[in-house]
Amino acid sequence: MTKPTDLTLYTASVPNGIKVSSALEYLEIPYKMRALDFSTLEQKEPWYLEINPNGRVPAIVDVVDGKKTSVMESGAVLLYITDKYDPANKLSYPHGSAEYYEMIEWLFWQVGGLGPMQGQASHFVRYCQSDNPEVQAYGTNRYVNETRRLMSVLETRLHKQAAKGSKYLVGDHLSVADLACLGWVLFDTYVGIESSEFPLLNKWQDEISAIPLVKKGLDVPKPFTIKEMVKNPEAMAAASATGRNWIQKGNEAEKK
Ligand SMILES: N[C@@H](CCC(=O)N[C@@H](CS)C(=O)NCC(=O)O)C(=O)O
């Protein structure tokens, strides 16, 4: 893809952001990147809410022939990108084909299931500071177990695909369904799920994240280091404290 574009990605180094940067890089789509600073709640500022009224990342703004289109929600952004910039179906399948609907199924499954559940698991494992240990334990068990169950659904799917000779969630090549799930699966150990629990999923995440163009996208806006960071208790404590701080500030701001 060498066609010049005027596309800006609003993102941060988080699961939903890296799904989109890895898709843009994989398709070699030129884009501008604007990293949002969560520590100052930039994602809640009025100018950004004009782009993404939900106050979350990712979002894109694309200008084509002078016409501006804003797209929020990672699943919608991935479909926009493949519709507009993937005519050869390098990261997608032709509209109307059986694989197209399977890709949509797994994309919706991720944005409606794995993402929200794992997001809550991260909250209870890393950021919740309840005075009541029972609240913390209940939330942690509920969401980590649900995330684990969802990852087992992916493991089973990969076994079925392997029986058909494919290493990918859908069809015979990488698609946005894989990249959407990858954004979250890469954070498995962050919520205490060991990669070794799901051997095929582990191999899948290692192989896909090692594809040079995917890797380039995972390193946006900064190098992806979560796997190493999780092994370093001091670094993790510092990252959790930073996260806890902006999340509490964000909760207060959103309450108002
Ligand atoms: N359903 C949304 C979820 C977006 C989302 O929750 N993004 C997180 C990062 S992974 C975020 O922006 N958090 C900032 C906040 O909660 O203020 C999507 O798929 O785009």
Side-chain angles (χ1 to χ4, degrees):
M1 169 78 209
T2 48
K3 198 173 152 233
T5 59
D6 189 359
L7 188 151
T8 305
L9 167 66
Y10 297 85
T11 194
S13 209
V14 289
N16 287 311
I18 58 178
K19 297 187 301 199
V20 175
S21 44
S22 57
L24 287 167
E25 295 291 350
Y26 191 77
L27 291 173
E28 298 181 87
I29 299 167
Y31 66 101
K32 288 174 243 162
M33 191 277 296
R34 170 68 159 83
L36 294 182
D37 182 356
F38 284 5
S39 73
T40 60
L41 297 186
E42 229 187 342
Q43 75 277 26
K44 320 285 180 206
E45 288 181 6
W47 69 269
Y48 183 65
L49 296 180
E50 287 294 316
I51 295 167
N52 183 344
N54 198 33
R56 303 280 190 276
V57 300
I60 57 165
V61 174
D62 194 16
V63 186
V64 180
D65 298 331
K67 193 174 169 290
K68 196 188 260 195
T69 309
S70 295
V71 188
M72 64 164 183
E73 284 294 314
S74 58
V77 173
L78 290 171
L79 289 177
Y80 176 91
I81 290 169
T82 49
D83 274 0
K84 298 278 178 193
Y85 298 114
D86 187 23
N89 296 124
K90 205 176 147 199
L91 200 52
S92 59
Y93 290 95
H95 272 233
S97 64
E99 289 89 351
Y100 176 78
Y101 293 107
E102 280 181 42
M103 180 184 90
I104 299 278
E105 269 180 350
W106 287 98
L107 195 55
F108 278 43
W109 176 89
Q110 185 281 302
V111 292
L114 182 65
M117 293 301 116
Q118 195 171 335
Q120 295 306 318
S122 305
H123 182 84
F124 281 97
V125 173
R126 300 284 171 194
Y127 311 125
C128 171
Q129 267 191 321
S130 172
D131 297 335
N132 181 345
E134 278 175 31
V135 168
Q136 180 115 18
Y138 183 87
T140 303
N141 288 336
R142 159 78 191 148
Y143 291 111
V144 173
N145 287 342
E146 179 60 2
T147 303
R148 185 172 272 117
R149 184 191 71 77
L150 290 163
M151 288 197 186
S152 82
V153 172
L154 283 178
E155 178 81 4
T156 303
R157 171 68 181 184
L158 288 173
H159 274 284
K160 286 207 172 129
Q161 287 291 98
K164 290 195 229 162
S166 170
K167 297 191 290 186
Y168 306 101
L169 286 175
V170 175
D172 61 0
H173 64 262
L174 188 72
S175 73
V176 288
D178 295 286
L179 293 185
C181 292
L182 181 72
W184 284 97
V185 172
L186 283 171
F187 283 78
D188 51 4
T189 49
Y190 192 68
V191 294
I193 297 176
E194 289 309 316
S195 307
S196 56
E197 292 181 46
F198 302 109
L200 214 46
L201 192 58
N202 192 29
K203 188 162 176 274
W204 168 92
Q205 63 167 313
D206 284 352
E207 282 180 9
I208 297 177
S209 54
I211 298 170
L213 287 172
V214 172
K215 188 177 170 346
K216 199 171 164 206
L218 299 179
D219 288 336
V220 172
K222 56 181 189 193
F224 179 82
T225 55
I226 200 76
K227 297 273 189 203
E228 296 84 61
M229 236 169 85
V230 165
K231 294 182 202 145
N232 178 340
E234 275 156 32
M236 271 323 300
S240 299
T242 307
R244 200 174 293 130
N245 195 23
W246 75 254
I247 286 166
Q248 304 302 349
K249 271 202 300 194
N251 286 347
E252 286 310 309
E254 281 174 343
K255 243 189 254 165
K256 283 184 201 146

